[in-house]
Amino acid sequence: MKLIHCSDLHLDSALGRNLPPEKARARNAELCATFGRLVAFAVREQVSAVLIAGDLFDSAYVSAKTVDYVLEQIRGAADVTFFYIRGNHDEDRDAFAGLKLPENLKTFGNTWRSFRCGEAVITAIEPQGDGWQRMYDRLKLNEYDLNLVMLHGEVFTQPGAEQIALPLLRSKHIRYLALGHLHSYQKAPLDLDGEYCYSGCLEGRGFDECGEKGFALLEISGGKLSSRFVPFARRTLHEVKVDITGADTVTQILSRMKQAAAGIGPDDLVKFTLQGTYSLQTQKDTAFLLKMMEPEFWCVKIKDESRLQIDKENYAYDASLKGEFIRLVLASDHSEGEKERIITCGLHALRGEEVAL
Amino acid sequence: MKLISLYIENFGGLSRYELQFGPGLTTINEPNGFGKTTLAEFIRAMLYGFPRKVKTLEKSRRQKYAPWNGGQYGGYLTFEHENRRFRLERTFGATPKGDTFTLIDLSTNRKSNRFSEEIGIEIFGLDSDSFERSTYVPQTHEEGTLSTAAIQAKLTDLVEDSSDVNNYDKAMAQLRAKRSALIPYRGSGGAVAEASGKITQLQLQLDQALLQQSQLTTAQEEAARTELEIEQKQTAMIQLREELSAASEMAAAAAQQRQYAELRERCQQAKEQARAYGEKFRNGKPDLQLLRQKCQAYEKWQKNIRDLEQQAAQLLQEDRQGRATETVGSYTGMLLLGILCAVLGTAGLACGIAFLTFGKIPMGVAALCGGIGLLAIGIVLLIVRGKKRSAQAQVLELQRRTLDSRITAAEQELQTLRSRAKASADEIGVFFASYDLNVPPQHFFAGLTQLEHNILAWEQAQRVVQELTGQLTAMEQEWGEVLYAQRSSFADPRLLREQERCLRDEVMKLDSQLQRELQKIHRLREQTELIPQLREELAGWQQKKTEDRENARILDDTMDFLQQAKERLSGSYLRTIESRFGYYLAQLESSDGERYLIDTDLQVQLERMGRARELAYFSAGQVDLVMLCMRLALVDALFKGQETFVILDDPFVNLDDAHTEQALELLRSLSDQKQILYLTCHSSRAL
């Protein structure tokens, strides 16, 4: 018997902060499509159940088309049972409110609820309000069952809202604690018999969600349970740090960027973070660099964290407008960042180059 | 600082080149390609070395001046500073690591630590670039008359790191344009205002969507309530159906019990009937055939009796008829006819007589004849009748006697038959009585039929009993305990069905209400699902507005700093420049009536004939001379009284002979005060 444990799909995410509008729309559609692919995978692999450990939707405002799509996918996979708990993102309002749910979609509430699924017993709760205070005491599992418990929150030593107190879940006869909330896959022992696992999100959305994304595939046979991570994302996000120290021309910077991004596929999303220092003579036009890198990947962002290196000594005896200007700026009360911006801005202007703000 | 001599081992195109500097003017009149610029660069390199960090964008000077013929790269410079002579030796490697620096105090011929490698900065307080820009005066390439602004820019350029003469103004113009695009200095518009407008618009949309969100919340709560109500009603309906099912079962069980009881009753009745019939036939089943034969025999006898009785009756009838015929009436016609004829004859006679009397002889004769005839006929008829009656009476008597004997015989036979029939009837009656039938002889066949019927009915009753018993057994087997179960009281299923129907109607109504609510939710949802997008757009525009404001502030600050820098730069050197410029100009111009004005922007105006005039009014040669004076003034200002030298790289190529002479004269006069290295490629301009 196979089961899928996934979480944090964040369908209908507002991706505009990370992506241009057109790509944000396309990516949002991809998030939905990945759920469709997951369902197709479940059907193809004869998976008995899919556990969705929260944050299926990104917010309380879910579009009707997304809800319909999800329900139709679930309805279409009649042989697969879907167990879904809401997470902190989609708990405010039930996206399925007022809709007729498919028979094979099981939802949970403020009290523990269990379903038998083949050899396994799947138990979950959506603690509302201060429900988290009582939920640990109220969890009673049969020690002879193969228990899978599903929760959404961050593992912690103490109980709390959106916190999962692992010590209070030990010796509860849990074989597999399916968790949602963290967006990267991680697995660790819970107690002598059990383990807890974050499946991570199915698709990375922002550059704080880099790396391989997918779900946990569980196999249960003869009372034995094993699980493994299955990469499943349509696209992977990468943050590539590029030290531009010593690279004075855009060609040199581009070369370093390409070198740093070697091995990344063209369908992926890449964020280059320029680091290190540059001098006043360095050609560093991020707009130009972006244009040059854009054809290489599905989406490219450039974050410039490199610092202008200005040695005061270099300008102490510079009897020029530039020297006077730099001395004045450096001696001002502005923050270091502002000083850097003002100097860059002023020198670009003096050199007759386009002032990039 | 005063230059004494230099020796170039190898530097660019110069090799093993030695030069002694005069105390004032040193002129080098060499053709093009000699390496005058290289010489100037060598002096700079001696004082400042090459930059340690090679800037990619600039062609490395180290590479540029690497010896063309190979060999040791470098040389030395002998100079006097604060009354002490030093020899500064430098050699250059391929990289800064390979560089060497040696300073020898020529008074002791020992290495000196008086200055470090940064000797240029230590002596002049200027960095390499500033030194180069101030002490090195290149050829002027400007054509035509220089505008005031251009001269001002040119002067400014001396302290700027750019060859663009107008870069400050351009820079400020670009910065102002950028700033104006964000927040205009005058009027409305700009990116910040656009962002503000967009923010207001989005905020309005968002507020509206949020309002709809509260409506959505209400609608969803209503829908949830309706759903709950539907659920409750459905639960009640399920309960009702269960009750109905139980009640129906009970009703069915009751019906079964009733049916069973009825069947048992019928069976009992059938048994009773069968038993009753059985009682009638306690002696066994009668021999109906024999009985039928007996009945038929009896019937036959009865028929015989009736025939005989009829026969006898007929005989008696005949007898009575015979007697009646004899007395009353045979030949009555004849008698009556005879009498009639006699009467008529008599009447005829009477009439004849009458007629004759009255004289009607014919008629009287006729009547007499007729009367006599009729009378005779009547008498004859009466005689004949008397004879006939007598003969008939004899025959009748004979017949009566015969008849009487036959009647007697018949009566005797009848008597016999009747006694037999009676015996038979008695026997049959007893037979019937033995089967509880009291049947009179005349109904023997009906009795027989009745008996047959009774037999059939008995058999039928037996069959019915058997059949009903079978049914009872089957029923007991099929329904078993249900038939004997105690029945508790239960609701009337019809009543329950009615209640269920009512509930179903209510659920249907609630369903349609829910559908309406869901449609409303759907509609509201379509509008509220834009909220994240609106929020994101709003946040984006707010961020943009903040960034634009910040950028505008940065631009303002940049322009402030640039302006301050320019003012400080100009201001700090202005006084010296002004006085020195005036001084140099006085050397140049013969007229004392002219005054020059210089402002903080280093704008030069010439006061002539009591009126300030811009330099645009002057010739190119004049402008070049003014420029030279300004350069020299600037050098004085920059070096702040430090004894220094100026390298002039053929700066007078644009001047006409008169102006050239003037310029050279200026140099000559200046050479008393200032060490000048004058490089020229033409003897006409040589000193």
Side-chain angles (χ1 to χ4, degrees), chain B residues 28-86:
Chain B
I28 298 174
N29 181 10
E30 295 285 355
N32 285 332
F34 160 74
K36 295 186 292 294
T37 311
T38 306
L39 186 63
E41 175 61 23
F42 175 79
I43 296 169
R44 194 205 61 79
M46 283 295 111
L47 291 168
Y48 287 94
F50 286 123
R52 289 201 162 267
K53 288 178 185 172
V54 177
K55 294 169 187 170
T56 316
L57 292 178
E58 296 173 0
K59 193 171 178 185
S60 165
R61 295 186 188 218
R62 183 185 298 277
Q63 283 179 328
K64 187 176 174 185
Y65 294 104
W68 295 4
N69 304 325
Q72 182 80 39
Y73 185 5
Y76 63 80
L77 183 70
T78 311
F79 64 90
E80 190 179 296
H81 182 67
E82 294 173 348
N83 298 320
R84 294 188 77 155
R85 285 201 176 190
F86 297 92

Side-chain angles (χ1 to χ4, degrees), chain A residues 51-95:
Chain A
L51 280 65
I52 306 169
D55 289 354
L56 174 59
F57 303 106
D58 188 58
S59 71
Y61 312 100
V62 188
S63 67
K65 67 174 186 300
T66 302
V67 172
D68 289 348
Y69 178 81
V70 167
L71 291 182
E72 279 310 307
Q73 292 296 316
I74 292 174
R75 207 169 270 125
D79 292 338
V80 184
T81 310
F82 292 77
F83 299 92
Y84 162 55
I85 54 169
R86 286 178 286 162
N88 56 315
H89 276 261
D90 50 7
E91 70 180 350
D92 290 347
R93 187 177 294 121
D94 184 1

